[in-house]
Amino acid sequence: MISTLRRGLLVLLAALPLMANAAGSAHDLVQDTTNKMLADLSANKEKYKQDPSQFYNALNTIVGPVVDAEGISRSIMTVKYSRKATPAQMQTFQENFKKGLFQFYGNALLEYNNQGITVAPAGDESGDRTSVNMSVKGNNGAVYPVQYTLEKVNGEWKLRNVIINGINIGKLFRDQFADAMQRNGNDLDKTINGWAGEVAKAKEETDKAAGKPAQ
């Protein structure tokens, strides 16, 4: 399963919804901004490979504003820990979460070679929560189903979760946070400040499971 997740991560951000605003449908925003992201990656890929930090910054600028970092952070921490966190701790975790996320997925996206993406027809968007489905072809020729969950936050569509080939990324990080809290003796500050390292550790594990040398 972890190997499948790793292969899915290699193409994940190629289909990531990078909505610029709340105008139009979630489906159209996903389609239009996916094209925009692929065009940017194609134009700057070699530069990004030489200096990945530029790519992380680009992802933070484009993706950061449309990710419901607060909602995702609380979901990862769960009520058990988020209700104990101060506003300052929550803000720090949100920033560390985004930093780790962009590094983890950014490295995977740099390996994407425009194999192909198909966006499914629009679903029901009458409420404040919807899903956008895609099929993404991996480097190995396999086709991976990707499902994005989006919610309206203050009238704007925001990314809340991703499921790759049946693997729930939100649950993966939630389990990882709980495990880190146990290892850190329920020290919330230690877990929050070390979150980027936890994400890097997850990348090494998925690389190893996929038979790829850690970077």
Side-chain angles (χ1 to χ4, degrees), residues 22 35 43 55 129 148 152 160:
N35 294 339
F55 192 33
R129 185 182 181 93
Y148 295 98
K152 279 188 176 179
R160 280 299 305 267

Side-chain angles (χ1 to χ4, degrees), residues 96 180 184 188-200:
N96 289 347
N184 292 330
L188 194 56
D189 280 326
K190 187 174 182 179
T191 300
I192 290 173
N193 293 329
W195 183 249
E198 292 295 328
V199 174

Side-chain angles (χ1 to χ4, degrees), residues 142-160:
V143 177
Y144 301 96
V146 179
Q147 181 184 78
Y148 295 98
T149 299
L150 299 95
E151 291 188 1
K152 279 188 176 179
V153 179
N154 298 323
E156 296 186 353
W157 289 110
K158 298 284 186 177
L159 178 67
R160 280 299 305 267

